[in-house]
Amino acid sequence: MNDAASRCPSPGLVSIKTLRSLVCPRLYQETVLHVAQQSETDSADAEHRIIECLRYLYLVSAHPASLRGQFLPVEQEIDDVWHYLILQTREYKTLCEERLPGRFFIHHRSLPYGEHRQEATREQRIEAALRWLPLYRDTFGAMDEHALPYWTMAKFLRGQMGLSLQQIADLDR
């Protein structure tokens, strides 16, 4: 990944280098190969997906009180990466319990969107989806074009509402 965020992150932000170091190099490369083959994409796109999955897991781990149990805010491509990591049981356990900030195992529970809709009001669903954006910005910096396609609410705000990446980053300011 050769973008500005990986070269010189702002002080206090979690860098791409730090995220990559959360998993052993062998597993990282295996995951890149798996994602590239399964999605018929190149390794650069596969790496973007892996980084966004690690960002998702990092946020869940760092903010369990506000994020645990929330409907998955990322697109299927990121969920697919998560599934692959979970299947590497030993390494996934180490990632969750020793490498991520919360130091607890992050369970995956499938919840169909229809069931999620029945459990929460429309306003609650919107608030929950928006909750991720300032946490993302404050932890990793403003979302970029590589991350945008994988975060459902950001993708909606950009594509349907016409917000710029800066406007998305500034939503709660």
Side-chain angles (χ1 to χ4, degrees):
M1 305 203 55
N2 203 8
D3 60 0
S6 66
R7 289 192 304 272
C8 52
S10 299
L13 296 180
V14 177
S15 70
I16 290 174
K17 182 178 178 182
T18 298
L19 291 166
R20 286 184 70 164
S21 73
L22 294 174
V23 294
C24 70
R26 179 188 51 77
L27 176 59
Y28 188 86
Q29 287 308 315
E30 287 174 6
T31 307
V32 169
L33 290 172
H34 172 80
V35 170
Q37 289 173 349
Q38 291 299 309
S39 58
E40 298 180 356
T41 190
D42 60 32
S43 61
D45 186 53
E47 286 198 63
H48 291 302
R49 294 176 188 200
I50 294 163
I51 292 301
E52 294 313 312
C53 180
L54 291 170
R55 284 176 170 159
Y56 164 75
L57 293 171
Y58 193 99
L59 289 175
V60 169
S61 182
H63 304 282
S66 60
L67 297 180
R68 190 183 292 174
Q70 293 295 317
F71 193 75
L72 194 64
V74 291
E75 297 292 312
Q76 185 64 48
E77 296 92 342
I78 304 311
D79 194 40
D80 292 343
V81 174
W82 188 14
H83 286 208
Y84 181 79
L85 291 173
I86 289 170
L87 291 175
Q88 316 320 307
T89 55
R90 199 169 325 154
E91 292 95 339
Y92 182 72
K93 183 178 187 301
T94 299
L95 169 66
C96 291
E97 296 178 356
E98 298 177 21
R99 303 284 179 93
L100 290 171
R103 308 271 195 249
F104 62 87
F105 191 86
I106 301 172
H107 293 275
H108 186 294
R109 178 174 178 266
S110 296
L111 178 65
Y113 184 68
E115 286 182 35
H116 174 69
R117 287 186 58 155
Q118 293 171 355
E119 292 180 4
T121 67
R122 181 174 187 258
E123 290 77 18
Q124 289 170 326
R125 290 192 311 272
I126 292 169
E127 186 279 326
L130 288 169
R131 185 180 308 163
W132 294 86
L133 299 176
L135 295 173
Y136 184 105
R137 178 205 59 225
D138 294 347
T139 307
F140 310 113
M143 197 170 284
D144 65 19
E145 292 290 341
H146 297 296
L148 181 74
Y150 303 117
W151 290 83
T152 306
M153 180 53 81
K155 183 177 167 182
F156 170 80
L157 291 170
R158 179 72 177 268
Q160 300 300 313
M161 304 301 291
L163 272 64
S164 69
L165 288 172
Q166 188 60 53
Q167 288 170 314
I168 292 169
D170 291 341
L171 278 175
D172 71 329
R173 292 184 178 169

